[in-house]
Amino acid sequence: KPSTDWLKKSIPLKCFDDRGFLRVNDHLQIEECKNVYAMGDCISHASKGIKLAYTAELQAHVVTSNVKLSCKSLPLLKYPEGAVGSSQVPSIYCISLGKYDASLGFNSLVVNGFLAAIFKWLIEWTKMLANREYPVGVIFWKVGDGMASFLARTLFKTPAL
């Protein structure tokens, strides 16, 4: 169950589903509150995506773009198409299982052990650099996100939910 009870004082109850998730449209706007956006683990979206950090980050990109677009009265991006160029989001995760062990998943591909731990470190390091707007981090994630979208449409296809 999402931690959305605190929102029920400021958002109409019809904006919540029966499990407490916020209902959002394809632009990630809260139903009945078109100027309010939501993303991450607290939303209920038609895509039925798995609640992962990767999907929350993609949603954040769509929400920030849509806030900017709405200020200019331009058409809004749809989720997930506006983030990955496809109607399905790849399932990507990397879980640390200790200093030298991890599990890395990309749709049907799963890598466990030391190699996954190295990828986990690389992901964290480059993400921090990208957040600080260092060119190496920004470029790494622009290329990485593009490759993930490409691989999810071709070699490691995203399974339909």
Side-chain angles (χ1 to χ4, degrees):
K1 180 181 175 191
S3 180
T4 55
D5 289 342
W6 62 278
L7 286 170
K8 293 181 179 176
K9 296 175 186 164
S10 56
I11 296 177
L13 290 178
K14 59 186 171 184
C15 296
F16 298 86
D17 69 10
D18 58 345
R19 298 178 303 150
F21 291 93
L22 288 164
R23 290 187 175 113
V24 295
N25 63 20
D26 286 340
H27 306 292
L28 301 179
Q29 297 165 305
I30 296 175
E31 297 291 342
E32 309 294 327
C33 301
K34 299 298 181 197
N35 291 324
V36 181
Y37 296 83
M39 61 198 146
D41 293 354
C42 68
I43 68 167
S44 173
H45 182 262
S47 66
K48 305 281 188 223
I50 299 170
K51 309 286 187 198
L52 297 169
Y54 177 72
T55 54
E57 185 174 351
L58 293 176
Q59 292 164 4
H61 288 298
V62 171
V63 166
T64 55
S65 295
N66 282 345
V67 168
K68 291 175 188 175
L69 291 168
S70 68
C71 289
K72 298 176 183 176
S73 299
L74 295 171
L76 303 179
L77 299 177
K78 288 186 176 184
Y79 178 79
E81 292 87 348
V84 294
S86 171
S87 62
Q88 294 184 329
V89 177
S91 294
I92 301 174
Y93 64 87
C94 194
I95 302 168
S96 180
L97 302 172
K99 190 172 183 178
Y100 303 107
D101 197 10
S103 182
L104 171 68
F106 186 99
N107 291 338
S108 61
L109 175 68
V110 177
V111 176
N112 295 311
F114 184 67
L115 182 61
I118 292 171
F119 272 99
K120 175 75 171 163
W121 173 83
L122 181 65
I123 288 167
E124 291 171 349
W125 182 68
T126 56
K127 184 56 75 175
M128 292 305 297
L129 292 176
N131 287 339
R132 293 178 185 145
E133 297 183 3
Y134 287 18
V136 68
V138 172
I139 293 168
F140 179 91
W141 282 99
K142 291 268 186 208
V143 172
D145 286 342
M147 289 298 297
S149 294
F150 173 76
L151 290 171
R153 288 191 308 270
T154 57
L155 192 56
F156 301 106
K157 293 190 178 188
T158 303
L161 293 177

